[in-house]
Amino acid sequence: MSQCGLKHFSLRNRANLYVVLLAAALVGLCGGMQAQSFQTVGALAFTAPYGGANPLPQVVTVASSGAAFPYTQAVTTSSGGKWLAASPCGYYSCTTPYPVAVSVTTAGLAAGTYQGQIVFTDVNNSKITLTVPVTLTVTQTNTAFFDYLPGALSFTMKPGGSVVPQPIQIRNGGTGTLTWTLTTATADGGAWLSATGSGTAPSNISVTIVPASLPGGGAISGTYVGELVLQTSGDTTTIPVAVTVGSAVFEQINPINFTMPVGGANPLPQILTIASTVNNTPLNFTQATATATGGNWLATSPCSYYSCNTPYPLTVSVQNANTLSAGTYTGEVTIYQSSDPSMSVTIPVTLNVVASGAFFNGLPGQLSFSMPQNAKKLTPQSLEITNAGSGKMKFAIAPSTADGGAWLTATSLSGTAPKTVSVEINPLNLPGGGQIDGTFAGQLLLVAGSDTTTIPVTVTVGSAVFTQMNPLNFVMPVGGANPLPQLLTVASIDNSALNFTQAAASSGWLTVAPCSYYSCTTGYPLTVSVGNTSKLTAGVYAGQVTIYQSTDPGQSMTVPVTLTVVPSSKAFFDNLPGQTSFSLTPGTKTTPAQTITLGNGGSGTLSWKIATNTADTGKWLKVTPASGSNAGTYSVAVTVKSLPGGGAKAGTFLGQELLETASGNVTVPVVVTVASPVFVQVPAVIFNTTVGTNPAPQSVPIDSTGTVLNFTQASPTGKGGAWLTVSPCSYYSCSTPTSLTVSVNSSSLGAGTYYAEINIYEYTDPAQSMTIPVVLNVAP
């Protein structure tokens, strides 16, 4: 009988005192026998090469078979000295379930096999113990053995939900052929842990959970532990596995991968959104990092010393990696729930340092989408996949989402680089069909031969969230002038005021201003600039701008930035304005089109086409013509009736012109400001002159549609140096109506076309910016 027969025991003869007493005795006996016990944790096995780095800590979850209870731990070894350690419960008791990081130190150990153990003891009942044997194999490097493997795999799910499979790679850290087998074990004996059974390294395997085989069929909240055991001749390694089932737990985060060339710049940071499965139930957390080989190359921010609240964008960075030799390096990030460490999540991290062959060029560290509730579609984002190495690179893309929903996809899931694919979100497949506010996380896994890279993806649903901002693209010639800055207007979907800060990441060529130290308020135009490019060779360089909502960093947004440096022997886009701006008062039916001058900055034929997109997916932005060859002009127009609210709704509305050609794409952000008053729109300013002669200055009127607007201005130039001067508002604000005097010093310029822009900022409300393109034609 289960539970000592008490579940099926009944007193049929209430008058029989003996039976009553016997029943009482059985109850007391069974109460003692049914004291809580530890869930089984299988034996742990570590592998390390002789004279090599320590393997990653293995994170085992010490859990109870029933109610939680406090425990202590003790570590011993039978040979090799004090090579085994466990944390964080060395001096104080912990309470089940709790993640314990088991680590080994191999310095000074000869090749061989070493034994140790960890004994966990119930604080309230010393007879209840759990002994976990630990084996360390120090191998000779002239044999086949398992390369560094993840220290844990963590799965999370809601009761009755599902999990997303996790990929891991099995590699040979030595020489010869490594043929391996894999077995699984679970503490409760259930067949809920599934993985591929055998193979030859290198091998990519998928590890998954069968929810129906969990206790209660996956409907019971709790932490369940298991283990992967990998074996080859003379070597065994384990990977602990934990599954946390609960209504408010961390959303699952799959392993991440970075790629970089030997001696090259660090890859862009990847931004992991640490989120709860219940968006209105924030979880406090801290994090820790560990690496195996390669030293201290892995870092995270900003939660090193203080806890953060979900949802939070955790920046995972590669550092100090330019001295690493070619190879694969393994690390991990562990997320600890501050008030309940049992809800820990371990994220394996792999760094591929490549010396030759084909491999991925700098990919963005995140793609960010945003939408209001009930949106039917989102604006896709372009992802440029390029080959930083040699030879042909065929790639495959595997999308996954933390909640298992099929809301993330790409137009091409395979291809040959270079190729631009469109990343798309299906709102109807989001949790709640896109009707639930929150931050939802996914991932793109890109594989090309032996190279693997990941791109985190987030979708933020809500009304008071950032308006989506699509990637920016710049083009410049090798050793030439920097391209004109682009203005990135940060706005909110419902035009509410959100405070934000920003950060730029690149190999030193990308800057963003003016909110580095103080917060700005939506919709503020950030100036995104390219500089420090004199040493850049021809190629494609990746950067990113991350926008953080000051009071709710979970609403972060990452904007990928691509810089293409082109030899002057190729045709490429000459400088284009950093923004096309339109301004109108509510109820206006039409607004003048803007003319953009397009030039060829190199040689040969420039065949081009232009695509448009809008953050709200409305078809209010149009360019004519949409394709052409070499220099010329195109017209940008806004269909006012297609704006949100048909032009009667005040707000800041964002779009983009994407100019495409074979040598490299360029973007021109578009902003439409509907307000009263606004600046009166000003067309492009064009100068025509001959070599050695300065053209006459021009007077440019700056006016308002209503009351006075105070403003400042900036006038960046592209090639040709600082040939443009605008007065009188360089240092102090001006007031509408007034006229700016625009002057050109072209005396030292050769024949050609030169580009600049005048950016007008309303003094108290910089969201009302206006960009005026400036074109200088110098004839021989």
Side-chain angles (χ1 to χ4, degrees):
M1 290 187 295
S2 63
Q3 298 291 321
C4 295
L6 293 182
K7 286 187 178 180
H8 305 288
F9 186 88
S10 63
L11 296 179
R12 297 181 182 272
N13 187 350
R14 294 177 183 268
N16 192 326
L17 179 60
Y18 175 78
V19 174
V20 172
L21 293 174
L22 176 60
L26 285 172
V27 170
L29 175 62
C30 290
M33 293 178 62
Q34 289 303 308
Q36 301 299 329
S37 61
F38 290 100
Q39 286 191 36
T40 302
V41 174
L44 303 180
F46 293 85
T47 298
Y50 172 71
N54 298 324
L56 285 172
Q58 293 189 31
V59 182
V60 295
T61 299
V62 180
S64 166
S65 61
F69 60 87
Y71 70 89
T72 59
Q73 69 193 35
V75 175
T76 58
T77 58
S78 58
S79 59
K82 296 182 179 180
W83 52 266
L84 179 62
S87 64
C89 295
Y91 302 100
Y92 304 99
S93 67
C94 290
T95 301
T96 61
Y98 203 96
V100 176
V102 181
S103 58
V104 299
T105 303
T106 62
L109 294 181
T113 301
Y114 301 87
Q115 302 294 333
Q117 66 180 21
I118 308 169
V119 178
F120 301 97
T121 304
D122 185 339
V123 170
N124 298 319
N125 187 346
S126 61
K127 294 181 179 180
I128 299 177
T129 63
L130 169 67
T131 299
V132 181
V134 182
T135 300
L136 168 62
T137 302
V138 180
T139 68
Q140 297 286 359
T141 56
N142 60 355
T143 63
F145 59 90
F146 290 111
D147 201 359
Y148 298 94
L149 287 163
L153 291 179
S154 304
F155 296 84
T156 62
M157 57 176 278
K158 290 183 177 181
S162 61
V163 301
V164 179
Q166 296 196 37
I168 62 172
Q169 187 177 56
I170 300 173
R171 301 182 302 273
N172 183 359
T175 59
T177 301
L178 188 149
T179 302
W180 56 269
T181 59
L182 185 154
T183 57
T184 62
T186 62
D188 54 60
W192 50 260
L193 180 58
S194 175
T196 306
S198 62
T200 301
S203 306
N204 294 310
I205 68 171
S206 178
V207 181
T208 192
I209 304 299
V210 182
S213 298
L214 286 167
I220 301 175
S221 294
T223 299
Y224 308 101
V225 297
E227 188 176 66
L228 304 177
V229 181
L230 292 110
Q231 293 179 297
T232 189
S233 177
D235 186 19
T236 299
T237 299
T238 54
I239 303 175
V241 178
V243 183
T244 302
V245 181
S247 58
V249 296
F250 289 120
E251 282 196 345
Q252 185 174 314
I253 304 172
N254 277 14
I256 62 174
N257 300 71
F258 294 89
T259 298
M260 63 174 286
V262 172
N266 295 328
L268 286 175
Q270 292 190 32
I271 299 175
L272 302 180
T273 298
I274 312 300
S276 165
T277 53
V278 179
N279 284 293
N280 60 1
T281 305
L283 304 175
N284 294 325
F285 69 90
T286 58
Q287 99 292 332
T289 61
T291 58
T293 51
N296 184 29
W297 56 264
L298 181 63
T300 57
S301 64
C303 296
S304 299
Y305 302 102
Y306 304 100
S307 67
C308 293
N309 288 331
T310 58
Y312 203 98
L314 190 70
T315 301
V316 183
S317 305
V318 172
Q319 61 180 11
N320 308 320
N322 60 348
T323 59
L324 296 181
S325 57
T328 301
Y329 300 85
T330 306
E332 63 192 16
V333 177
T334 302
I335 308 298
Y336 299 95
Q337 216 266 67
S338 302
S339 59
D340 183 6
S342 66
M343 289 172 56
S344 67
V345 174
T346 297
I347 308 161
V349 182
T350 301
L351 170 63
N352 302 308
V353 180
V354 186
S356 60
F359 59 94
F360 291 108
N361 200 9
L363 290 166
Q366 186 182 55
L367 292 177
S368 304
F369 297 82
S370 66
M371 56 173 272
Q373 284 187 9
N374 300 315
K376 302 303 180 187
K377 60 181 179 178
L378 274 74
T379 302
Q381 295 197 34
S382 296
L383 175 64
E384 295 183 41
I385 301 175
T386 56
N387 180 5
S390 57
K392 182 179 290 187
M393 189 182 84
K394 293 184 177 180
F395 66 87
I397 303 176
S400 64
T401 64
D403 53 71
W407 49 260
L408 174 63
T409 189
T411 51
S412 297
L413 296 179
S414 62
T416 302
K419 187 171 185 176
T420 299
V421 301
S422 179
V423 180
E424 300 178 349
I425 304 298
N426 184 343
L428 298 179
N429 290 339
L430 286 168
Q435 298 182 45
I436 301 174
D437 283 358
T439 300
F440 306 100
Q443 184 189 74
L444 298 176
L445 175 67
L446 293 93
V447 179
S450 60
D451 185 21
T452 301
T453 301
T454 50
I455 304 174
V457 179
T458 61
V459 180
T460 302
V461 180
S463 55
V465 299
F466 291 124
T467 300
Q468 185 173 314
M469 294 167 277
N470 276 18
L472 303 180
N473 297 75
F474 294 87
V475 169
M476 63 170 290
V478 174
N482 297 325
L484 287 172
Q486 293 187 34
L487 297 188
L488 183 65
T489 299
V490 182
S492 63
I493 287 178
D494 64 355
N495 289 297
S496 59
L498 302 177
N499 292 327
F500 67 90
T501 58
Q502 49 71 29
S506 71
S507 56
W509 53 266
L510 181 66
T511 59
V512 58
C515 297
S516 298
Y517 301 102
Y518 304 100
S519 67
C520 292
T521 302
T522 53
Y524 201 101
L526 297 175
T527 302
V528 182
S529 304
V530 171
N532 301 319
T533 57
S534 59
K535 296 182 180 179
L536 296 184
T537 58
V540 179
Y541 298 85
Q544 61 193 25
V545 175
T546 302
I547 311 298
Y548 299 95
Q549 216 264 68
S550 302
T551 57
D552 183 7
Q555 291 190 34
S556 68
M557 177 161 291
T558 298
V559 183
V561 182
T562 300
L563 170 63
T564 304
V565 181
V566 186
S568 56
S569 58
K570 290 187 176 182
F572 60 90
F573 290 114
D574 209 343
N575 281 318
L576 285 157
Q579 181 178 251
T580 304
S581 57
F582 298 85
S583 55
L584 58 148
T585 55
T588 301
K589 300 302 181 184
T590 61
T591 187
Q594 303 250 10
T595 299
I596 306 298
T597 301
L598 182 154
N600 183 356
S603 58
T605 301
L606 179 74
S607 297
W608 50 268
K609 61 181 180 179
I610 308 174
T612 61
N613 62 68
T614 64
D616 53 65
T617 72
K619 295 182 178 181
W620 49 260
L621 183 61
K622 183 179 180 180
V623 296
T624 308
S627 62
S629 295
N630 290 324
T633 62
Y634 67 92
S635 174
V636 184
V638 170
T639 305
V640 175
K641 66 180 181 180
S642 297
L643 287 169
K649 178 182 177 181
T652 302
F653 307 104
L654 307 181
Q656 188 183 73
E657 305 152 33
L658 175 62
L659 292 91
E660 301 173 279
T661 191
S663 58
N665 300 340
V666 176
T667 49
V668 180
V670 177
V671 58
V672 179
T673 303
V674 181
S676 183
V678 290
F679 290 111
V680 174
Q681 196 170 304
V682 178
V685 178
I686 300 175
F687 291 90
N688 294 294
T689 189
T690 57
V691 171
T693 303
N694 292 330
Q698 294 190 36
S699 180
V700 176
I702 307 297
D703 205 351
S704 163
T705 58
T707 57
V708 170
L709 295 176
N710 296 321
F711 67 92
T712 59
Q713 54 79 21
S715 51
T717 57
K719 64 181 181 181
W723 50 265
L724 181 67
T725 301
V726 179
S727 62
C729 297
S730 298
Y731 300 102
Y732 303 99
S733 67
C734 292
S735 299
T736 59
T738 191
S739 292
L740 299 178
T741 301
V742 182
S743 305
V744 167
N745 182 357
S746 59
S747 58
S748 61
L749 300 180
T753 301
Y754 300 84
Y755 303 88
E757 64 191 26
I758 303 170
N759 293 316
I760 305 296
Y761 302 95
E762 208 276 331
Y763 198 71
T764 58
D765 183 10
Q768 293 195 37
S769 65
M770 178 172 63
T771 297
I772 307 169
V774 179
V775 180
L776 169 62
N777 298 306
V778 181

